[in-house]
């Protein structure tokens, strides 16, 4: 890709929220309790997150709880013990909740976990149902560390799991995409 093509790509806007919702509605519309959506990266719901035996069977070494402190999502270092590292994000599944302030810290946590122990780490990102908050953090991770556009990240995750971030989170992910594009434009241009 030439520099001109890269600059042109940077100036394009991400899809609209309406277009993203249409993509999200496509395909299967049911989910499992947990799915591997990227090598050694899983999205799940509270039932799997609260089942230490299931986590052990999956080989989960790290847990990101995107509903930390919320009812039925009371995970903590004490709950998981010394075999699982825990990272809590106290997010509400509300379009007005600013989840974007957790995009970079969560993405860094996931990347460091996946890079650790010679590729033997497995990360579960969960919330109550495993379709909005947790999916949003995984999409942000793919955009930040694997340079996917939002649409590419959605399509990649949807190959393995039904997800549906709320409209507010989609807007925040669009803003992240524009921020990342400007960063690429700054580095390239």
């Amino acid at each position: 890709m030439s520099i001109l093509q890269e600059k042109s790509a940077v100036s394009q806007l991400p899809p609209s929220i309406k277009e993203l919702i249409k993509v999200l509605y496509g395909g299967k519309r049911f989910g499992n309790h947990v799915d591997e959506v990227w090598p050694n990266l899983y999205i799940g719901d509270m039932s799997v997150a609260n089942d230490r035996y299931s986590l052990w069977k999956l080989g989960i070494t790290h847990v990101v709880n995107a509903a930390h402190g919320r009812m039925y999502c009371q995970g903590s270092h004490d709950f998981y013990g010394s075999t699982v590292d825990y990272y809590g994000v106290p997010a509400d599944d509300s379009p007005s909740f600013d989840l974007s302030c957790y995009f970079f810290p969560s993405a860094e946590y996931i990347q460091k976990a996946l890079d650790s122990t010679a590729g033997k780490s497995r990360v579960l990102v969960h919330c109550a149902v495993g379709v909005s908050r947790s999916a949003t953090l995984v999409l942000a991770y793919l955009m930040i560390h694997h340079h996917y556009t939002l649409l590419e990240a959605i399509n990649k995750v949807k190959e393995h799991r039904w997800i549906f971030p709320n409209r507010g989170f989609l807007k925040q992910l669009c803003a992240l995409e524009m921020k990342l594009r400007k960063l690429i434009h700054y580095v390239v241009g």
Side-chain angles (χ1 to χ4, degrees):
M1 182 181 280
S2 74
I3 290 178
L4 183 59
Q5 289 171 315
E6 287 181 28
K7 285 185 179 182
S8 174
V10 167
S11 65
Q12 292 175 351
L13 295 175
S16 69
I17 300 301
K18 187 176 181 180
E19 292 167 324
L20 290 171
I21 288 173
K22 194 173 184 180
V23 170
L24 288 165
Y25 269 125
K28 71 175 187 171
R29 291 182 50 192
F30 58 89
N32 301 313
H33 290 295
V34 64
D35 294 290
E36 186 175 21
V37 297
W38 185 260
N40 298 320
L41 179 58
Y42 297 76
I43 295 177
D45 62 19
M46 65 184 171
S47 68
V48 74
N50 292 333
D51 182 353
R52 288 182 287 223
Y53 180 70
S54 291
L55 296 178
W56 175 77
K57 282 191 342 188
L58 288 167
I60 299 298
T61 58
H62 295 74
V63 170
V64 176
N65 178 355
H68 175 76
R70 303 303 182 247
M71 189 179 289
Y72 308 115
C73 291
Q74 298 290 325
S76 67
H77 293 285
D78 293 337
F79 177 77
Y80 293 111
S82 61
T83 59
V84 175
D85 195 70
Y86 178 82
Y87 182 79
V89 175
D92 288 326
D93 189 11
S94 163
S96 63
F97 184 85
D98 183 8
L99 189 58
S100 67
C101 61
Y102 297 102
F103 287 172
F104 283 92
S106 297
E108 289 303 312
Y109 177 84
I110 292 167
Q111 187 62 44
K112 283 181 183 175
L114 292 175
D115 285 346
S116 67
T117 62
K120 295 186 181 185
S121 294
R122 291 186 174 191
V123 180
L124 170 68
V125 182
H126 81 90
C127 54
V129 183
V131 298
S132 185
R133 289 170 281 192
S134 55
T136 299
L137 292 179
V138 169
L139 293 171
Y141 163 75
L142 292 174
M143 294 167 69
I144 293 166
H145 283 282
H146 296 283
H147 312 292
Y148 279 38
T149 65
L150 175 53
L151 185 57
E152 290 168 341
I154 287 171
N155 286 326
K156 184 66 180 167
V157 172
K158 279 182 53 84
E159 289 175 11
H160 306 282
R161 182 176 184 82
W162 181 72
I163 59 170
F164 208 89
N166 72 47
R167 291 178 73 87
F169 295 166
L170 289 174
K171 288 178 183 175
Q172 293 169 41
L173 288 167
C174 286
L176 174 65
E177 181 169 343
M178 294 306 295
K179 181 178 182 178
L180 293 171
R181 286 182 182 194
K182 286 179 183 173
L183 183 63
I184 290 170
H185 178 73
Y186 176 77
V187 170
V188 171

